Amino acid sequence: MKHNYLTRTIYHYKWVLPLLMLLIQPLSGHSQLLQTIAGQVHDQAGAAIEFATVTLHRGIDSVVVKSEYTGQQGEFRIEGVPQGNYFVQISLVGYERYTSAPVVVPSTRAPETGTSGTITLPPISLMNSGRTNLKEVTVQTRKPLFERESDRIVVNIEGSPLAAGATSLEVLARSPGITIDQNDNISMRGRQGVLVLLDGKLIPMTGTELGNMLRSMPAEQLEKIELITNPPAKYEAAGSAGIIAIKTKKDTRLGTNGSVNLSYGRGQFGRFTSGLSLNNRHRKVNLFGNYSYTNRSGFSVLDLHRDFYVNNSHVGSSKQYNYQEMPMQSHTFRGGIDYNLTKSTLLGLTVSGLANDIDINGTNDTRTFNNQGNPEAVYSSDNVRSFNSPNVAVNMNLKQTVGKGGELTSDLDYARYSSNRFQNLTTRFTMGGPASPLVLHGDQTGLLTIKSFKADYTKALPKQTRLEAGAKLSWVHSDNDVLFTNIIEGRALVDSGKTNHFIYDENIVAGYINLNRKFKKTTVQVGLRGEQTNATGLQTIGEEGFDRHYFQFFPSASFKHSISEKHEVSMSMSRRIDRPSYNQLNPFRSYIDATTYGAGNPSLQPQLSYNMEATYTFLQKYTASLSYNATSQPIISVVQPAPDGDRMVVSTFRNLTRQDYYGLTITAPVEPARWWRMYNNLVGYYNVFAGDLAGTSLNAGLPAFSLSSNSTFTLGKGWSADLNATYQSRELYGFLRVRPLGQLTAGFQKTMMNKKGTLRVNFSDLFYTNRVRATSTYSNYVERFNQRQDSRVGTISFVYRFGRETVPPSRRIQGGAEEEKRRAS
């Protein structure tokens, strides 16, 4: 089987690889003439000032657009500035803050910019303040929590009291247009199928596994989250609903620097988080590393009512109460080195890891009834589950300047994800069952390895044109083995119906080309990506499997036009694919109680979608966008009667026939007072699902909306506060109708110790309203459930920063094993 797989792979490569090699060859051309703002900074004596902070602000609302730092000669350059009105601020400890006169960047090159496309400011002299105490001098302002850019919403986590003691998952759930269901499936603007990136590398998990990883990552490690709705061809073709890019903090100060943080939260259970970050930067070498430890616990309560039907006749029902406690310990680390080989070559190595240890102790009480409502059986279950996952990933990267205006980057990635799951389910009947307890043991081991190589080339061409091209190869091997045994009268007997061994191999070769051209008031971008997929799966017991090979093109295009300084319109479109995650394909069972289990589906097919969006922007901050998405074979999670019969229920994944999505998004940042900023985001959408499942035909839609509002208050004397409110209306997801839910979270913070320390207090889900209530309806089955968790929590945290204050520019490392890691489990 492996020989045939390799032969077919080589056959597919023989025409794809030459094409990809052509894409990444260096191309001739001249450097792009960009609009740049440049200047020189010196002190009153005329000496150059190094490492001063230079920030570019929009003139209309003072929002920070870009930031740089002055060099050894006091020089700075802010490149890639679009048309608009701006002003520049410069600050450094010991000097008075400098604010420039208005700077106008025209739509075409003005005579004052010269042939270089650079607007040069007059020489800038900073006045000595006579004070160097950080307690006396303000060197930076806090960014607003939410910012809207042309193609994304940016959530600035760093410095927000809402991040105090919170997890990355909790902060993500409060972001505009984001909802997370009871199984940790993430939706953006009412649609599932998102890519989640961490520092440019896709997180190797989906669903519950992704949720557990984000729970183990303290929000205080994050700098920001970017919500990208319609990415270009440079990104992976996956992610029909968009991309969530999570970026962690990275200390860029010279010398040895770092920070420590501690937090403790209390709901019904305690939550402890601690972390350490260290960085040592010199001229050619940068060493960095961070480590965090989390020890937290929570609970989940699930009430279920089920009705069963045969030929539209009610044949019985059941009522269940499930309670589980979930203590979790996690260790997260990341370390590496960047080394400047030459002025044009940078080599980097990064090693990262995550070790989760989760113990779940659950109880279940169930009563079953006949069609007359009379009791048939009464039983209770004790469910003990444990999960540990020592994972490690290594990335080697090279960044090379090629000629004038060209840059070549390459990444080599290797990742290894191990998992060990153990389960012990004991069921005791007090009515309608055997006298002896039923005991089921499950022991599952898994190993997933990912290897990939990618190269990306960018080239600035004449007439404000930029070319991007790249290629990627990836290999994935997943091996999962599970053994189930029944304990009967003290003897362990193998359950052959549940025991299995699943092996999955996947190989993807991809290439893309993207062109961006700027005209007087218009920017146009077109791109094309191609991906060849070869995948095989085999269940060794029963010799059931699949063998799939397919090639797909993924075009993308965008258009942006500035009607005037106040009005701007843009349009974008793309074709995308969402392949099933490795966890969604894995058929192994995980039992929730005696009559409910979760399992993957090896028969899942990829879902393909077309995305279109049109956006209008007023005054560079108020936006309204219309979007449409058509998805074929959408993958949805379902809860339905299991093939086992006997009123067993399975939570799994299925393909429907079609999903149509119509959306309207409105963003309105306002400033009711100088000390009060408010960011409001409204997403209205209409989802229509069509398909057949479990003998039930579906062709239904339901209008819905989500609303988020965040207020930031500057209180003075180092105090600030945030108030975040989210609301999700009722909505339809396949066969599931979800009732409204929402939450209110408040946070306060105080800077101290010469602004090196920050004390934060946070209260989440103040009114305990963030609970999921839903109904799943089929022709032969109806389930109503109510799930609530330990979401109302009060937290106090402290962060202390140490080291030098001088800061040169830095870069982030992005790896190549992106799409594969997102789908891993």
Side-chain angles (χ1 to χ4, degrees):
M1 177 176 178
K2 289 186 177 180
H3 173 76
N4 294 335
Y5 176 77
L6 181 61
T7 302
R8 283 190 294 267
T9 301
I10 294 173
Y11 173 78
H12 288 293
Y13 278 177
K14 74 176 185 179
W15 66 271
V16 178
L17 284 175
L19 172 63
L20 300 179
M21 296 307 295
L22 287 174
L23 287 177
I24 62 173
Q25 285 180 350
L27 302 177
S28 62
H30 299 85
S31 61
Q32 180 180 357
L33 299 178
L34 300 173
Q35 295 290 335
T36 299
I37 298 175
Q40 198 86 12
V41 182
H42 56 82
D43 61 17
Q44 292 170 277
I49 295 179
E50 186 180 6
F51 299 129
T53 302
V54 183
T55 53
L56 180 68
H57 300 253
R58 284 201 305 241
I60 194 168
D61 55 9
S62 300
V63 169
V64 176
V65 178
K66 292 189 175 184
S67 62
E68 285 294 341
Y69 306 93
T70 56
Q72 290 182 345
Q73 305 304 317
E75 79 284 357
F76 68 86
R77 291 174 60 84
I78 304 176
E79 299 181 341
V81 182
Q83 172 194 2
N85 297 325
Y86 304 91
F87 66 88
V88 173
Q89 283 192 341
I90 301 175
S91 61
L92 184 65
V93 176
Y95 295 90
E96 299 287 354
R97 179 187 296 276
Y98 168 85
T99 301
S100 74
V103 180
V104 178
V105 177
S107 57
T108 57
R109 184 166 301 126
E112 64 268 21
T113 65
T115 58
S116 64
T118 300
I119 300 173
T120 302
L121 302 182
I124 298 167
S125 176
L126 295 188
M127 305 293 292
N128 194 311
S129 67
R131 301 182 301 269
T132 58
N133 193 330
L134 283 175
K135 189 175 183 180
E136 302 288 326
V137 180
T138 302
V139 297
Q140 63 181 6
T141 58
R142 179 186 158 195
K143 293 182 179 179
L145 183 59
F146 299 113
E147 292 182 286
R148 174 77 192 208
E149 296 183 358
S150 59
D151 63 341
R152 67 194 65 189
I153 291 176
V154 180
V155 186
N156 293 306
I157 307 301
E158 187 174 13
S160 170
L162 295 181
T167 68
S168 298
L169 185 69
E170 290 167 339
V171 172
L172 181 60
R174 300 170 195 153
S175 302
I178 300 295
T179 56
I180 301 175
D181 68 13
Q182 73 280 3
N183 295 317
D184 293 332
N185 297 308
I186 301 173
S187 298
M188 180 187 293
R189 302 198 300 184
R191 294 175 52 213
Q192 291 191 10
V194 298
L195 268 71
V196 181
L197 287 77
L198 179 62
D199 288 335
K201 303 170 74 173
L202 284 165
I203 294 179
M205 299 155 195
T206 58
T208 302
E209 285 76 16
L210 173 60
N212 287 334
M213 183 207 173
L214 294 177
R215 285 188 188 94
S216 68
M217 181 183 299
E220 284 160 335
Q221 288 187 355
L222 306 186
E223 176 189 349
K224 61 183 177 180
I225 298 174
E226 296 182 347
L227 310 176
I228 308 170
T229 54
N230 213 359
K234 181 177 180 178
Y235 289 92
E236 303 281 345
S240 59
I243 290 176
I244 298 174
I246 301 173
K247 296 186 178 181
T248 59
K249 298 176 185 177
K250 190 172 183 180
D251 198 328
T252 57
R253 294 172 290 178
L254 286 174
T256 301
N257 313 279
S259 64
V260 293
N261 66 80
L262 291 169
S263 71
Y264 181 77
R266 188 74 190 185
Q268 182 170 325
F269 296 94
R271 305 180 178 192
F272 172 77
T273 301
S274 61
L276 171 66
S277 176
L278 292 172
N279 192 86
N280 184 273
R281 180 184 293 270
H282 293 284
R283 292 189 178 274
K284 284 192 173 185
V285 180
N286 179 46
L287 294 169
F288 57 91
N290 59 65
Y291 167 79
S292 66
Y293 169 72
T294 299
N295 189 333
R296 57 192 291 125
S297 188
F299 72 86
S300 175
V301 175
L302 178 62
D303 291 305
L304 292 165
H305 181 92
R306 295 168 172 169
D307 289 293
F308 299 87
Y309 298 85
V310 174
N311 298 325
N312 296 322
S313 296
H314 185 254
V315 295
S317 61
S318 67
K319 291 183 179 181
Q320 298 187 28
Y321 174 84
N322 289 280
Y323 174 85
Q324 60 182 18
E325 297 178 4
M326 298 167 288
M328 178 182 75
Q329 295 187 58
S330 65
H331 304 266
T332 307
F333 72 89
R334 181 174 181 267
I337 181 173
D338 292 335
Y339 182 72
N340 291 280
L341 296 174
T342 66
K343 290 184 178 181
S344 60
T345 305
L346 182 65
L347 179 66
L349 173 68
T350 303
V351 180
S352 58
L354 167 66
N356 270 337
D357 193 350
I358 304 172
D359 295 308
I360 302 176
N361 301 304
T363 59
N364 163 264
D365 293 306
T366 299
R367 293 175 178 267
T368 65
F369 306 89
N370 61 20
N371 60 347
Q372 301 298 320
N374 298 320
E376 287 184 330
V378 178
Y379 59 87
S380 62
S381 300
D382 293 323
N383 194 1
V384 178
R385 289 180 286 169
S386 65
F387 171 73
N388 62 78
S389 56
N391 305 323
V392 65
V394 181
N395 167 265
M396 293 185 63
N397 55 89
L398 182 69
K399 183 178 179 181
Q400 175 75 46
T401 300
V402 182
K404 294 184 178 180
E407 183 178 270
L408 177 66
T409 61
S410 57
D411 289 89
L412 183 64
D413 283 270
Y414 174 80
R416 188 180 191 274
Y417 301 94
S418 302
S419 63
N420 298 281
R421 294 178 172 88
F422 174 80
Q423 179 165 28
N424 184 20
L425 178 65
T426 303
T427 304
R428 299 175 178 86
F429 284 82
T430 57
M431 176 183 174
S436 300
L438 301 179
V439 181
L440 178 67
H441 280 298
D443 190 357
Q444 178 182 341
T445 58
L447 177 62
L448 173 68
T449 57
I450 300 173
K451 292 175 280 188
S452 76
F453 171 79
K454 80 179 182 81
D456 297 283
Y457 179 75
T458 62
K459 178 69 176 178
L461 302 177
K463 297 182 180 180
Q464 298 196 52
T465 303
R466 176 167 290 274
L467 169 70
E468 296 176 317
K472 175 185 172 182
L473 298 172
S474 67
W475 298 267
V476 173
H477 177 73
S478 178
D479 192 327
N480 292 272
D481 200 353
V482 63
L483 174 67
F484 275 102
T485 57
N486 294 304
I487 308 300
I488 301 176
E489 296 181 353
R491 297 174 55 197
L493 301 177
V494 175
D495 192 326
S496 58
K498 301 179 178 68
T499 298
N500 213 323
H501 187 191
F502 181 66
I503 301 173
Y504 178 80
D505 287 285
E506 179 186 89
N507 160 244
I508 297 177
V509 54
Y512 73 90
I513 185 169
N514 199 69
L515 283 171
N516 183 290
R517 173 76 183 271
K518 291 184 179 180
F519 298 91
K520 183 177 180 180
K521 291 188 176 183
T522 304
T523 301
V524 178
Q525 179 174 272
V526 293
L528 180 65
R529 187 180 184 92
E531 294 189 353
Q532 169 69 40
T533 303
N534 307 297
T536 61
L538 175 66
Q539 297 184 63
T540 58
I541 297 179
E543 292 292 328
E544 297 181 6
F546 57 83
D547 193 355
R548 300 169 185 164
H549 306 274
Y550 52 91
F551 179 82
Q552 297 278 351
F553 278 118
F554 302 98
S556 64
S558 65
F559 166 88
K560 183 171 69 174
H561 177 69
S562 296
I563 301 172
S564 67
E565 291 186 1
K566 294 183 178 180
H567 307 279
E568 182 179 276
V569 294
S570 61
M571 299 182 67
S572 62
M573 65 79 59
S574 64
R575 182 176 189 260
R576 308 194 69 80
I577 186 173
D578 285 305
R579 301 176 182 88
S581 71
Y582 316 125
N583 183 56
Q584 290 173 333
L585 291 170
N586 190 342
F588 293 172
R589 298 183 179 186
S590 176
Y591 279 83
I592 302 168
D593 56 57
T595 58
T596 310
Y597 64 89
N601 176 13
S603 300
L604 279 180
Q605 297 293 326
Q607 67 177 28
L608 293 163
S609 64
Y610 289 91
N611 304 317
M612 288 166 278
E613 185 169 12
T615 302
Y616 165 72
T617 303
F618 178 61
L619 295 177
Q620 298 185 20
K621 62 178 182 177
Y622 302 105
T623 63
S625 61
L626 292 171
S627 55
Y628 171 71
N629 166 269
T631 303
S632 60
Q633 293 188 306
I635 300 172
I636 66 169
S637 60
V638 298
V639 178
Q640 63 182 74
D644 310 61
D646 198 24
R647 299 188 186 177
M648 293 288 292
V649 173
V650 58
S651 173
T652 186
F653 305 90
R654 294 285 188 269
N655 290 107
L656 291 183
T657 303
R658 184 180 175 89
Q659 177 186 357
D660 290 281
Y661 170 93
Y662 309 84
L664 168 65
T665 303
I666 298 175
T667 300
V670 295
E671 192 168 338
R674 294 185 61 183
W675 48 270
W676 180 9
R677 290 180 179 178
M678 179 183 290
Y679 186 94
N680 305 299
N681 189 82
L682 171 67
V683 180
Y685 55 94
Y686 184 69
N687 257 325
V688 181
F689 294 87
D692 293 282
L693 189 62
T696 307
S697 295
L698 177 67
N699 190 357
L702 185 70
F705 70 91
S706 66
L707 175 66
S708 68
S709 179
N710 191 88
S711 291
T712 300
F713 307 94
T714 302
L715 306 178
K717 295 185 178 180
W719 284 95
S720 63
D722 275 6
L723 184 67
N724 175 267
T726 60
Y727 177 80
Q728 171 66 54
S729 74
R730 65 171 186 164
E731 65 172 336
L732 176 71
Y733 174 69
F735 294 87
L736 192 68
R737 289 180 179 265
V738 184
R739 295 174 64 182
L741 71 156
Q743 63 86 33
L744 182 68
T745 296
F748 304 86
Q749 73 176 22
K750 175 72 168 69
T751 56
M752 56 185 64
M753 303 171 69
N754 289 335
K755 295 192 176 180
K756 291 181 177 290
T758 303
L759 179 69
R760 297 188 178 112
V761 179
N762 176 286
F763 302 94
S764 64
D765 195 10
L766 285 167
F767 300 106
Y768 201 34
T769 52
N770 195 24
R771 57 181 66 187
V772 180
R773 297 168 295 172
T775 302
S776 185
T777 305
Y778 303 88
S779 58
N780 62 343
Y781 176 71
V782 177
E783 177 180 292
R784 300 173 181 87
F785 69 85
N786 181 351
Q787 186 176 39
R788 51 204 182 276
Q789 298 178 339
D790 196 11
S791 58
R792 182 162 56 185
V793 180
T795 305
I796 183 169
S797 74
F798 181 74
V799 180
Y800 180 77
R801 294 166 293 277
F802 55 88
R804 296 179 60 185
E805 299 300 323
T806 50
V807 187
S810 64
R811 72 169 187 131
R812 290 184 179 275
I813 300 171
Q814 298 185 7
E818 299 177 343
E819 160 66 357
E820 295 74 24
K821 291 183 179 181
R822 180 185 71 91
R823 296 164 53 221
S825 60

